[in-house]
Amino acid sequence: MIIKAPASPVAKTCPITSKNHGISKIDNYHWLKAKNWHDVIRNPISLPEDIRTYLEAENAYQEAYFHDTKKLQNILINEMKSRIKQDDSSIPTKDGNFFYFSQYNEGDQYPQFVRSSIHNNKIEILFDGPKEAKAFEYFSIGLISHSPGHDKLAWSLDNNGSEFYELYIRDLNSGLDNETSIKDVDGFTWCADNKSYFYVHVDEGHRPNRVFLKLPHNPEPKLIYHEKDPQFHVRISSSLDGLWIIIHTGKNDQDEIRIISSLSPTSNPILIQVRQEGHEYSVHTHGNTLYIRTNSNESQNFRLVTTPVNNPGKENWKEIVPHRDTVLLDSVIIFKHYMILLEQENVLPRIRFRQFSSDRERILRFEEEAYSLRLYSGYEFDAMSLRYCYSSLSTPTQIWDINLNSDKKTLLKEQEIPSGHEPSEYLVRRLSACARDGESIPLTVLMHRDSILDGSSPCLLYGYGSYGIGVPASFSSNIISLVNRGFIYVIAHVRGGNEKGRDWYEQTKKAGKTKTFTDFLDSAHHLIKNNFTNKGKIISMGSSAGGLLVGASLNLEPDLFSGVIAQVPFVDVLNTMLDSSLPLTPTEWCQWGNPIDNKEEYSIIADYSPYENIKPTDYPAIFVLSGLTDPRVQYWESSKWVAKLRSVTTGHQPILLKTNMRSGHFGKTGRFSHLEEVALMYAFALKITGKHVN
């Protein structure tokens, strides 16, 4: 079906030739990358006028295209909004003499962060999100952290999407913030003295690389650690037992960790284990014993070891949970009396917990074909219960506590859908597609129980497939709006994630990256073969590195899809990896390859990069969303991709670009404003598949 649309903008061509390893290439749209992009991220007004004019023309074009869906968008927004409990709150979490939680009042876009005393139910508002947000068009809260003494609150704000957060310290007795804030903060933790704190500073290149200690009677912060290698980024946290500050520096496949006594924050950091190529590890503390999750000794799916704080090096590591070929040790929580492990086997997560005093061990399993789990450590080290979150594509989120002594489970909260939701009206299935090299690709399917598998249903096929990050089979009340209109929703758990263990990711580094894309295509063909959908009825969808997935797949088989939805897509891979000044480039060379220094890796990226491999063909309808102040995937990746696609397509389907001129990687803020973009994407999917009805 050909979709007619108003005349589209035509980007000017200004050919720029670059040469690497003796290979020349021409980029006609390099001009869309503002020379002052550092300034643009901080201050969108500084965008050069010719680029602004082009982006605004693209915005006007997509608005015109969607004009006939305005009524549908409003219906979708109201539907999705009706599934949100407006006066909602989180489960209170105990810390000392208080319960801390967040709450939404009816109609509010942002939460209030509150607490109540364990002795009464009186609620004290610590941070009033709706009130604080009034002055800003974009309002993103970075952190909310109360002090150990419960009399101070650290909070941070990003007001333009750049993720350059500004830190404030609030006196909870007076309700007033310190007169002096700290700019460009990405990470914070209190010290045990209730007065001092550590924070991570972000440099002009948007790299978190310095740790400072702020002491109460010293106006100048003290530099504690400076990471000078741009491939490594720094983050900071406190141990659950409250005794240690953890300084973590790392990149995608390498870690180096130091700890500092929270009781003596000016003491020298203790290096746990020097960085080593390919060695990943994380640290948890239990008094003077460290628990380390590590992939050392060829433990690809990770193992757990212990070591003394005063001599923490590898030579003293004692294994307590061995490596298992079929089980991924995903994460660890160390309580005073119990060790909690989140594991994953055959795509399904499970909880294992062990009592230190008796070595009594239990495994908590679940029955649905596909589901997701999240664990919460809470605030208290001596906790005797574990809180976890369970959901599936059809089961709304449930929050449970399990008593670690008795194994008794208590349902604390079940996500309420005010407009109604009956899980039995939907079917969740776990399928297995065969990849072209023989691998088995897990697929998670959500469809209405009345759907008929005759190939007539449109399909929204979602994928990510990068950084070892799996896509959870968790509940989304929004996707119900498409499923109720006849769509089948499928998550393709392609290689590049961790759904089938760490090897599922390792296979896709550098030269193996194309497996991610062919897995996605093979997943689509499996759905067609089994009559879930048909060729030309599939809309692919991906965000960020998932945008790379849908962009590369599009170039390989453009006629397979009826449309593509790409959110902040990482599609200009070669040019981005050639620019070491960009925030994430150096730290991601271990993932994609370093095309600056390595000719072979240059060629590998050039062979699949979506922007480089656009060709004259009949492309399907494409909708791209980006953010002007995005520091992760910069706006020009989307605008260059759209300009080049439109210049060479031999078809007549719309190629659309929406650039949020006042936001970054995560789009609009506010729980209702966000629905506007979701409704726009769903309206696109419904329109191009012939489902454009109310």
Side-chain angles (χ1 to χ4, degrees), residues 461 520-521 524 536 538-540 553-554 557-564 620:
L461 181 61
F520 195 68
L521 297 172
I538 301 172
I539 295 177
S540 65
S553 303
L554 174 67
E557 289 193 49
D559 62 339
L560 183 61
F561 305 101
S562 60
V564 175

Side-chain angles (χ1 to χ4, degrees), residues 209-501:
N209 60 5
R210 285 183 291 171
V211 176
F212 287 94
L213 169 64
K214 182 66 174 65
L215 298 169
H217 303 299
N218 190 339
E220 294 300 321
K222 178 182 179 182
L223 179 64
I224 299 298
Y225 178 78
H226 184 192
E227 177 55 59
K228 297 181 180 179
D229 186 339
Q231 296 183 78
F232 288 79
H233 289 183
V234 179
R235 62 179 185 267
I236 195 166
S237 62
S238 292
S239 63
L240 188 57
D241 63 12
L243 299 178
W244 301 96
I245 307 298
I246 302 171
I247 298 175
H248 174 274
T249 182
K251 56 180 181 177
N252 286 335
D253 63 355
Q254 195 175 150
D255 298 302
E256 186 175 83
I257 295 174
R258 293 165 174 80
I259 60 174
I260 299 175
S261 169
S262 186
L263 300 169
S264 181
T266 58
S267 60
N268 292 328
I270 300 171
L271 174 63
I272 305 303
Q273 179 60 43
V274 68
R275 66 189 66 175
Q276 181 181 350
E277 191 67 37
H279 183 211
E280 300 174 63
Y281 70 100
S282 57
V283 172
H284 309 267
T285 71
H286 191 284
N288 290 320
T289 300
L290 303 181
Y291 286 74
I292 300 176
R293 174 182 174 267
T294 171
N295 67 351
S296 60
N297 292 4
E298 300 182 350
S299 303
Q300 192 172 61
N301 281 333
F302 294 90
R303 62 191 181 116
L304 191 66
V305 302
T306 61
T307 192
V309 168
N310 59 7
N311 202 353
K314 268 187 181 181
E315 64 277 7
N316 295 309
W317 290 6
K318 178 183 177 182
E319 183 174 273
I320 60 170
V321 177
H323 172 261
R324 292 152 292 173
D325 290 335
T326 60
V327 179
L328 174 67
L329 178 55
D330 192 86
S331 62
V332 178
I333 297 174
I334 301 297
F335 288 130
K336 183 176 182 178
H337 303 289
Y338 280 89
M339 174 177 70
I340 314 295
L341 308 179
L342 180 62
E343 302 176 337
Q344 187 166 276
E345 184 174 21
N346 194 26
V347 197
L348 296 176
R350 69 189 184 205
I351 301 169
R352 182 190 299 268
F353 53 98
R354 181 188 298 178
Q355 188 177 44
F356 288 127
S357 62
S358 67
D359 280 340
R360 183 181 77 97
E361 188 168 277
R362 295 289 186 272
I363 296 178
L364 191 60
R365 302 179 187 272
F366 303 87
E367 296 181 357
E368 286 191 84
E369 277 191 55
Y371 57 85
S372 73
L373 281 177
R374 293 198 313 271
L375 306 184
Y376 300 94
S377 63
Y379 298 114
E380 297 190 328
F381 180 57
D382 60 355
M384 298 303 294
S385 63
L386 171 71
R387 186 165 297 173
Y388 66 90
C389 170
Y390 174 91
S391 75
S392 75
L393 291 185
S394 64
T395 305
T397 300
Q398 300 170 350
I399 308 295
W400 292 81
D401 265 2
I402 180 169
N403 185 296
L404 297 172
N405 283 334
S406 67
D407 297 349
K408 180 183 178 180
K409 294 187 293 183
T410 303
L411 179 61
L412 301 178
K413 179 180 180 180
E414 189 165 12
Q415 182 180 355
E416 182 180 333
I417 310 297
S419 60
H421 174 75
E422 178 49 62
S424 63
E425 293 183 1
Y426 304 90
L427 298 177
V428 176
R429 295 183 60 183
R430 172 61 55 76
L431 308 179
S432 181
C434 183
R436 59 197 65 186
D437 63 357
E439 279 278 14
S440 177
I441 310 160
L443 307 177
T444 306
V445 178
L446 174 69
M447 58 187 182
H448 198 276
R449 68 181 179 187
D450 295 333
S451 294
I452 300 173
L453 299 184
D454 60 359
S456 64
S457 297
C459 172
L460 184 67
L461 181 61
Y462 182 85
Y464 187 73
S466 286
Y467 307 116
I469 299 173
V471 181
S474 54
F475 183 76
S476 166
S477 62
N478 292 339
I479 199 65
I480 300 298
S481 287
L482 282 187
V483 175
N484 284 349
R485 289 172 169 81
F487 266 78
I488 292 177
Y489 174 62
V490 182
I491 301 171
H493 301 282
V494 296
R495 275 175 280 189
N498 68 354
E499 288 91 339
K500 294 183 70 174

Side-chain angles (χ1 to χ4, degrees), residues 53-64:
T53 298
Y54 172 72
L55 295 181
E56 289 178 344
E58 287 285 3
N59 281 345
Y61 171 59
Q62 62 86 25
E63 285 179 9

Side-chain angles (χ1 to χ4, degrees), residues 650-662:
T650 58
H652 303 284
Q653 298 285 23
I655 299 174
L656 308 165
L657 172 65
K658 175 181 174 60
T659 304
N660 287 306
M661 305 299 282
R662 289 290 298 178

